[in-house]
Amino acid sequence: MLSKNLIRSTYQLLFLLLTFISVPALSADPQHENETTVFDKTFSWQAMGGISGIYQQSQLMGVEPSEFEDYLNISLLLDVYYKGFFIQSNHRRSDAVTLGGEIGYELIVKDNWELDIITKTYVQGYQPKELIKNSDSGISTLLGLQERDSGEGLGFRYSHFYDDAILSVDVAALITDGWVADIFYSKLLPYRNWDIYLGAGLTHYSSQVTDYFVGVNKNEVSDMRSFYKPGSSYKAQLEVFARYPISQKWSFNGGVTQSYYSASYNDSPLIGQQHLTQVMLGVLYVF
């Protein structure tokens, strides 16, 4: 259930959104020169279909990819803009194909910075029963554990644009309770026909978020799983992501992401790895 604080925060964010929509927006029909997406008209859209192979380590103890579909990802990336409202995929990050799109509204748009209200998935959920069912051997640390829903968030994003780089800062409340603060810097390094993005990020999870995803409640304690109530935590990331045009419609994309989680995450009896690696190779088709 949603806590009273989260409900109050959500109402406040929605009130701010309605307030900004009801007055003349500073970003009305902006001539976008930034790389957020294809926002350069009153209405614009772009759709891309992608298929990629992904090797992604799991934090959860005993969870390893074993089936063919564990390494395959089929995605539809959609960019839509209409008078400040947008749906977009993050073209600078490889997790755009796993975490899905972002929905938001431009509150303020300036030459080198922007403020949006945004909703997106900040933390992937997991279903212990399905993970145990799909594993080659039983995962005793997950047996009897309650399902964790995905951490959908509603909040604000500040973006600062440099010549070939973007710095973004998100602060969002999650429907699963708690809040996150996410900072990410992405630098474009063009090389011949390649667009190479070097990224670095830091994400802070409040104690409620950390407890929900890797904590162990009293009613979840077992012989293989002790009670665990963590405090706040953080994730640090380094990433290399690249795109290469194969033809007018097709492009190759690939990325390597290294993630590091703090002790509050790693000390959980559910967690098996503190350092995670993700490798993604695939193609995109522009409709």
Side-chain angles (χ1 to χ4, degrees):
M1 295 180 65
L2 296 178
S3 68
K4 292 181 179 179
N5 288 336
L6 178 58
I7 294 174
R8 187 181 302 111
S9 298
T10 303
Y11 281 147
Q12 289 173 347
L13 289 171
L14 290 174
F15 174 77
L16 285 172
L17 173 60
L18 293 174
T19 300
F20 277 101
I21 294 174
S22 63
V23 299
L26 295 177
S27 60
D29 299 336
Q31 295 298 312
H32 241 274
E33 297 178 355
N34 303 317
E35 294 187 39
T36 50
T37 182
V38 290
F39 301 167
D40 57 358
K41 301 176 182 178
T42 300
F43 172 77
S44 58
W45 70 277
Q46 177 178 268
M48 295 182 293
I51 182 169
S52 56
I54 294 181
Y55 170 73
Q56 181 171 314
Q57 293 178 313
S58 174
Q59 289 177 286
L60 299 172
M61 187 177 298
V63 177
E64 296 288 345
S66 57
E67 303 293 334
F68 175 75
E69 55 266 28
D70 295 334
Y71 298 94
L72 183 66
N73 183 275
I74 300 175
S75 58
L76 176 64
L77 306 181
L78 186 65
D79 291 332
V80 179
Y81 175 81
Y82 179 70
K83 292 186 177 181
F85 292 94
F86 61 84
I87 302 172
Q88 69 178 24
S89 53
N90 194 326
H91 296 270
R92 287 174 166 260
R93 301 190 66 173
S94 59
D95 65 3
V97 300
T98 56
L99 290 181
E102 306 167 347
I103 302 174
Y105 179 76
E106 297 175 323
L107 300 177
I108 304 173
V109 176
K110 297 294 185 182
D111 291 338
N112 61 350
W113 65 275
E114 179 177 325
L115 180 65
D116 306 322
I117 188 167
I118 191 169
T119 178
K120 58 172 286 188
T121 300
Y122 286 93
V123 188
Q124 286 183 312
Y126 56 94
Q127 299 177 318
K129 290 182 180 180
E130 290 299 315
L131 293 174
I132 294 172
K133 179 181 176 181
N134 296 331
S135 67
D136 294 332
S137 58
I139 307 175
S140 57
T141 53
L142 297 182
L143 188 63
L145 193 71
Q146 296 177 2
E147 179 180 336
R148 267 54 169 176
D149 295 326
S150 294
E152 305 288 340
L154 174 65
F156 295 98
R157 168 177 292 171
Y158 170 81
S159 301
H160 194 94
F161 305 98
Y162 303 92
D163 289 340
D164 289 312
I166 296 177
L167 174 66
S168 63
V169 180
D170 291 21
V171 178
L174 303 191
I175 62 173
T176 52
D177 207 359
W179 59 276
V180 301
D182 181 67
I183 303 173
F184 195 81
Y185 177 81
S186 176
K187 173 71 174 179
L188 170 63
L189 296 178
Y191 177 73
R192 295 184 178 178
N193 287 335
W194 287 90
D195 286 337
I196 303 172
Y197 299 95
L198 303 181
L202 183 67
T203 306
H204 174 86
Y205 303 107
S206 70
S207 57
Q208 296 97 324
V209 175
T210 311
D211 183 43
Y212 178 80
F213 286 98
V214 300
V216 178
N217 300 327
K218 292 181 179 179
N219 61 342
E220 295 178 324
V221 172
S222 68
D223 293 339
M224 300 300 297
R225 192 172 55 234
S226 59
F227 174 78
Y228 184 65
K229 188 173 181 62
S232 60
S233 61
Y234 69 85
K235 175 183 69 175
Q237 279 190 317
L238 292 175
E239 181 174 283
V240 179
F241 181 63
R243 291 187 186 277
Y244 181 85
I246 301 173
S247 66
Q248 186 175 0
K249 291 289 188 178
W250 288 95
S251 65
F252 166 82
N253 61 98
V256 178
T257 303
Q258 185 69 40
S259 302
Y260 170 86
Y261 287 80
S262 63
S264 292
Y265 245 85
N266 190 56
D267 290 344
S268 168
L270 306 178
I271 299 302
Q273 298 189 77
Q274 189 171 22
H275 302 264
L276 300 179
T277 300
Q278 180 193 77
V279 180
M280 185 275 292
L281 298 173
V283 292
L284 284 173
Y285 178 80
V286 179
F287 294 99

